[in-house]
């Protein structure tokens, strides 16, 4: 995901479901961004970067 200051943020799941559906992943990313769930050293998460 893209951060406010232009750097990227990666969120990894330790045991993801096999073959996640792309639309589900994108929806989760949009929810994380819209709810501002994470505060990073690079600023807020502002956009998806797939």
């Amino acid at each position: 995901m893209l951060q406010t200051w232009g750097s990227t943020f990666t969120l990894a799941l330790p045991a993801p479901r096999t073959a996640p559906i792309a639309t589900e992943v994108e929806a989760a990313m949009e929810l994380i961004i819209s709810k501002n769930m994470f505060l990073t050293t690079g600023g807020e998460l502002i956009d998806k970067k797939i």
Side-chain angles (χ1 to χ4, degrees):
M1 292 183 228
L2 188 60
Q3 300 174 13
T4 305
W5 298 341
S7 55
T8 57
F9 175 81
T10 301
L11 179 64
L13 302 175
R17 179 178 94 202
T18 56
I21 299 170
T23 55
E24 293 173 323
V25 173
E26 288 190 39
M29 292 171 70
E30 289 172 5
L31 180 64
I32 290 168
I33 292 166
S34 70
K35 299 290 184 182
N36 200 21
M37 293 181 176
F38 295 100
L39 178 60
T40 69
T41 56
E44 295 178 1
L45 300 176
I46 59 170
D47 200 3
K48 299 178 293 185
K49 183 174 183 179
I50 300 173

